[in-house]
Amino acid sequence: SDDFDIMQIIIKIINSVSAFGPPSIPHQENINNLDTEQLLSRLRHKLSGQKFLLVLDDIWNNDRGKWIELIDLIDIGAAGSQIIVTTRSKSIAKMTGTLPSYVLSGLSQDDCFSLFVKWAFKEGEEIKYPDLVEIGKEIVKKCAGVPLAVRTLGSSLFSKYDAKKWTSLRDCEIWNLEQKKDDILPALKLSYDQMPSYLRQCFAYFSLYPKDYIFSVSDITRLWMAHGLVQSQNRNEQLNDIAGEYIQELNSRSFLQDFHSNGPYVTFKVHDLIHDLAMYVAKEECVAVDSHTRNIPEHLDDEESVEVKELIALHRRK
């Protein structure tokens, strides 16, 4: 999904069509060694005059030229052919769509918990552990309707019946969990990796604030500018305007939510999972501490470590 290679997409389309052809046609054709013209000829042979449904899942290509090139190549099907695109970027949805986008909402709490139980217990086993079920309901609230987060947390508890492990997970941040390839953090980090470098720095700045913090657009943009995170490529552009564009771009990538406007005063929030991502990407540059912090991260040098310990001691005295 993060590599929009048109020829590879064409190969997958040809193989997908072959998979649904007559029994005499092999499931996967040996077409990887064909040159471009041969591939396009095979594509035309497969799709010309046929009614098809093409699903492109989790698209990150924002190059409109590439998108138009692909559409031109497959615009050979019968009337009624359809393309469904899924993406986490509002700007890509706008670029690819000919109809209004359908914005998916999160799962309901009941559906989230049902999914969690499926991953955390063997079938019917949850009845034996009512105390874990109650803790599980609290864990599910952390997921805010995101199925991938539910699966990640649920599967990490499978066949573990110690209530201390469950409460520990309930109280920890998701980025402290062991992450596998298809878990929520790598999935979210793909969104981060697609950002231009100037936007990554501004996004990581959110890690300095607690979860559920209500950000003021004017305050956060001024802080970005004060720290030199907003750069102008055109002398005619004001830094404040550029910072406002950063906010719009982060919002278009679904990193911000709950915008509220009271005249010129605009506020927003960052989803808990997005905050976890900000903490994850900034963990080598800074450390968040509170009165419960016991261990100082190893990447801090001795001087920094002393400063952090002094801050923790001061916090506990308060």
Side-chain angles (χ1 to χ4, degrees), residues 136-260:
K137 290 178 179 178
E138 297 177 29
I139 292 173
V140 164
K141 293 178 182 178
K142 294 169 66 79
C143 302
V146 181
L148 194 57
V150 174
R151 192 185 78 176
T152 297
L153 296 179
S155 60
S156 69
L157 291 170
F158 183 72
S159 295
K160 296 177 181 176
Y161 308 112
D162 184 350
K164 290 182 179 180
K165 292 184 181 296
W166 285 59
T167 54
S168 176
L169 186 146
R170 178 195 63 192
D171 299 333
C172 85
E173 309 298 345
I174 195 171
W175 56 272
N176 280 330
L177 301 175
E178 180 183 355
Q179 298 289 331
K180 299 177 182 177
K181 180 180 178 182
D182 295 325
D183 286 349
I184 184 63
L185 190 54
L188 288 176
K189 192 172 182 298
L190 179 59
S191 306
Y192 171 81
D193 290 340
Q194 299 297 320
M195 288 186 191
S197 58
Y198 61 82
L199 208 57
R200 294 182 194 177
Q201 299 177 77
C202 293
F203 171 74
Y205 199 86
F206 293 136
S207 66
L208 301 177
Y209 293 82
K211 287 187 175 182
D212 295 321
Y213 185 85
I214 299 176
F215 292 91
S216 159
V217 169
S218 58
D219 288 347
I220 196 69
T221 51
R222 281 200 294 266
L223 287 167
W224 283 347
M225 290 187 288
H227 284 83
L229 302 181
V230 181
Q231 303 293 328
S232 174
Q233 303 298 324
N234 184 339
R235 293 183 178 180
N236 295 325
E237 288 186 297
Q238 298 294 319
L239 290 182
N240 191 58
D241 294 334
I242 298 173
E245 292 174 2
Y246 288 3
I247 292 288
Q248 293 177 17
E249 189 169 353
L250 284 168
N251 185 40
S252 76
R253 294 170 181 266
S254 301
F255 279 91
L256 312 179
Q257 64 179 29
D258 296 345
F259 274 82
H260 294 286

Side-chain angles (χ1 to χ4, degrees), residues 37-300:
E37 187 53 43
Q38 289 173 319
L39 279 174
L40 297 182
S41 175
R42 190 69 57 89
L43 178 71
R44 288 190 290 269
H45 173 71
K46 296 289 186 181
L47 293 188
S48 184
Q50 300 295 318
K51 186 176 179 179
F52 64 83
L53 170 65
L54 173 63
V55 180
L56 299 172
D57 185 41
D58 201 16
I59 295 299
W60 288 102
N61 168 59
N62 57 10
D63 184 337
R64 189 165 179 266
K66 285 187 176 181
W67 175 250
I68 292 175
E69 182 181 353
L70 176 63
I71 296 303
D72 287 344
L73 290 173
I74 62 178
D75 189 20
I76 50 179
S81 296
Q82 301 285 339
I83 302 175
I84 295 176
V85 171
T86 72
T87 180
R88 277 174 270 171
S89 168
K90 294 177 183 177
S91 61
I92 292 175
K94 185 177 181 180
M95 177 187 76
T96 58
T98 57
L99 297 172
S101 301
Y102 183 83
V103 181
L104 292 174
S105 58
L107 294 180
S108 68
Q109 282 294 105
D110 288 343
D111 287 340
C112 271
F113 184 68
S114 176
L115 183 61
F116 175 84
V117 167
K118 176 181 177 180
W119 284 93
F121 298 98
K122 294 180 180 178
E123 186 174 355
E125 191 180 43
E126 68 276 9
I127 300 174
K128 303 177 185 177
Y129 304 97
D131 54 335
L132 298 184
V133 166
E134 291 305 311
I135 299 171
K137 290 178 179 178
E138 297 177 29
I139 292 173
V140 164
K141 293 178 182 178
K142 294 169 66 79
C143 302
V146 181
L148 194 57
V150 174
R151 192 185 78 176
T152 297
L153 296 179
S155 60
S156 69
L157 291 170
F158 183 72
S159 295
K160 296 177 181 176
Y161 308 112
D162 184 350
K164 290 182 179 180
K165 292 184 181 296
W166 285 59
T167 54
S168 176
L169 186 146
R170 178 195 63 192
D171 299 333
C172 85
E173 309 298 345
I174 195 171
W175 56 272
N176 280 330
L177 301 175
E178 180 183 355
Q179 298 289 331
K180 299 177 182 177
K181 180 180 178 182
D182 295 325
D183 286 349
I184 184 63
L185 190 54
L188 288 176
K189 192 172 182 298
L190 179 59
S191 306
Y192 171 81
D193 290 340
Q194 299 297 320
M195 288 186 191
S197 58
Y198 61 82
L199 208 57
R200 294 182 194 177
Q201 299 177 77
C202 293
F203 171 74
Y205 199 86
F206 293 136
S207 66
L208 301 177
Y209 293 82
K211 287 187 175 182
D212 295 321
Y213 185 85
I214 299 176
F215 292 91
S216 159
V217 169
S218 58
D219 288 347
I220 196 69
T221 51
R222 281 200 294 266
L223 287 167
W224 283 347
M225 290 187 288
H227 284 83
L229 302 181
V230 181
Q231 303 293 328
S232 174
Q233 303 298 324
N234 184 339
R235 293 183 178 180
N236 295 325
E237 288 186 297
Q238 298 294 319
L239 290 182
N240 191 58
D241 294 334
I242 298 173
E245 292 174 2
Y246 288 3
I247 292 288
Q248 293 177 17
E249 189 169 353
L250 284 168
N251 185 40
S252 76
R253 294 170 181 266
S254 301
F255 279 91
L256 312 179
Q257 64 179 29
D258 296 345
F259 274 82
H260 294 286
S261 177
N262 183 10
Y265 190 74
V266 181
T267 62
F268 65 90
K269 293 176 71 175
V270 175
H271 189 290
D272 281 1
L273 295 175
I274 298 299
H275 184 274
D276 287 338
L277 176 63
M279 294 285 289
Y280 179 79
V281 300
K283 66 181 180 180
E284 298 300 326
E285 302 296 331
C286 62
V287 58
V289 300
D290 57 26
S291 58
H292 302 292
T293 302
R294 299 294 177 187
N295 299 314
I296 308 303
E298 294 181 359
H299 67 268
L300 296 180

